[in-house]
Amino acid sequence: MIRRTFFWIALVLMVLYALFPFFWALNGSLQTPDRLFAIPADYFPWPATLESYRTVFGDDVFVKALRNSVIVAVCVTILALTAGSLAACALARFRMRGHRIALGLILSMTMFPQIAVLGAVHSIISFLGLYNSLPGLILSYMLFTLPLTVWVLTGFFSSLPRELEESAYVDGAGPFQTFWRILLPLAAPGLAATGLLTFIAAWNEYLFALSLTITPDARTVPVAIANLSGATLHETPWGAIMAGCVVVTVPLVVLVLFFQKRIVEGLTAGAVKG
């Protein structure tokens, strides 16, 4: 009983600690400007106002950045899942020399901080003529989303029974048919979990979006939130910033709740051999 009590107390404290920043952003986005920095702080907005949300959605730059983030995150997720599933299936199902070394190299790519490779990425994107464009952001985001996709899906494909593809080969199916019709449908939980992680990584990315764009037409929503300006030069619109943070966080929360079962299945299936 004592252990269980301490467990639930620790769990509640962890949940409150994790949810408080979002609660504070939501609270601040509904506050009137004169009560936003009131002492003592108002933990519940009264009277509540939607003025910060009107300011955010009335800003054409923010709306365009929100659209750009959707386009970039969806394209990155589709491309990463397409290429990553093929690479992961090959590494997991085919006998080849050096596949463990290849996996180690793929994992090592995710260990480099973005700032360490930013200069090289900037040079490549500029050389390809993709600077300040959505295709340039999509290509640069593949640098950190594709290794993550390959690594997670390799463990998932390794857990599938080999008898499935052997039966397909006996029936006359080729490697690609076996992958498309047999292995890929069974990998749906892993694809859902990996796709959501990839989408979140692309949706929240800030450094590349700031460094590889120069005009609002190509910038994503994290950069747009950071560049929100107030009525005067030195005014920081904290209410609008908090409203923008809530707007970009809610879709992720909805996606996680909607795919919660798939996420758990996908992240745990690779830990058990089929």
Side-chain angles (χ1 to χ4, degrees):
M1 180 64 67
I2 295 177
R3 289 181 179 179
R4 180 170 296 183
T5 301
F6 277 110
F7 169 78
W8 283 107
I9 292 175
L11 182 61
V12 170
L13 291 177
M14 291 176 61
V15 171
L16 292 177
Y17 179 79
L19 292 181
F20 184 78
F22 180 74
F23 164 76
W24 192 250
L26 179 62
N27 176 56
S29 67
L30 298 174
Q31 294 277 9
T32 57
D34 59 321
R35 298 299 302 170
L36 193 57
F37 294 100
I39 299 176
D42 292 332
Y43 288 93
F44 297 97
W46 186 261
T49 177
L50 297 177
E51 186 60 32
S52 297
Y53 292 93
R54 296 190 189 98
T55 301
V56 165
F57 284 107
D59 189 346
D60 293 337
V61 174
F62 179 86
V63 175
K64 185 176 294 185
L66 191 61
R67 182 203 62 188
N68 292 341
S69 287
V70 172
I71 295 174
V72 171
V74 171
C75 291
V76 168
T77 302
I78 294 174
L79 291 175
L81 288 180
T82 302
S85 60
L86 291 171
C89 184
L91 290 171
R93 312 303 292 186
F94 296 110
R95 302 292 183 181
M96 61 181 71
R97 291 183 178 180
H99 73 281
R100 294 186 181 276
I101 298 177
L103 278 176
L105 290 175
I106 291 173
L107 181 62
S108 66
M109 294 174 62
T110 63
M111 297 180 182
F112 288 95
Q114 288 180 292
I115 192 65
V117 298
L118 180 59
V121 173
H122 188 282
S123 299
I124 294 173
I125 295 299
S126 299
F127 176 78
L128 295 175
L130 298 177
Y131 182 75
N132 195 42
S133 66
L134 296 186
L137 289 180
I138 293 172
L139 182 61
S140 64
Y141 286 6
M142 295 293 291
L143 181 67
F144 58 87
T145 57
L146 187 57
L148 172 66
T149 304
V150 174
W151 179 261
V152 175
L153 288 180
T154 298
F156 189 87
F157 279 113
S158 299
S159 67
L160 299 178
R162 291 191 174 273
E163 290 78 6
L164 294 173
E165 55 187 312
E166 292 174 357
S167 300
Y169 292 150
V170 170
D171 293 336
F176 185 77
Q177 287 180 316
T178 303
F179 167 77
W180 181 256
R181 298 184 178 181
I182 305 298
L183 299 179
L184 198 61
L186 294 175
L191 291 173
T194 310
L196 185 58
L197 294 176
T198 302
F199 183 89
I200 293 174
W203 182 266
N204 291 331
E205 204 284 325
Y206 176 77
L207 182 60
F208 284 178
L210 177 65
S211 304
L212 301 178
T213 59
I214 194 172
T215 62
D217 293 336
R219 284 179 172 171
T220 55
V221 72
V223 181
I225 292 176
N227 290 338
L228 286 173
S229 58
T232 60
L233 179 61
H234 299 289
E235 178 186 356
T236 302
W238 291 111
I241 292 175
M242 291 183 179
C245 293
V246 173
V247 170
V248 300
T249 304
V250 168
L252 301 182
V253 175
V254 173
L255 286 175
V256 170
L257 293 177
F258 185 78
F259 291 104
Q260 182 179 8
K261 183 177 180 181
R262 291 288 189 179
I263 294 172
V264 174
E265 291 177 357
L267 294 179
T268 57
V272 181
K273 277 288 185 180

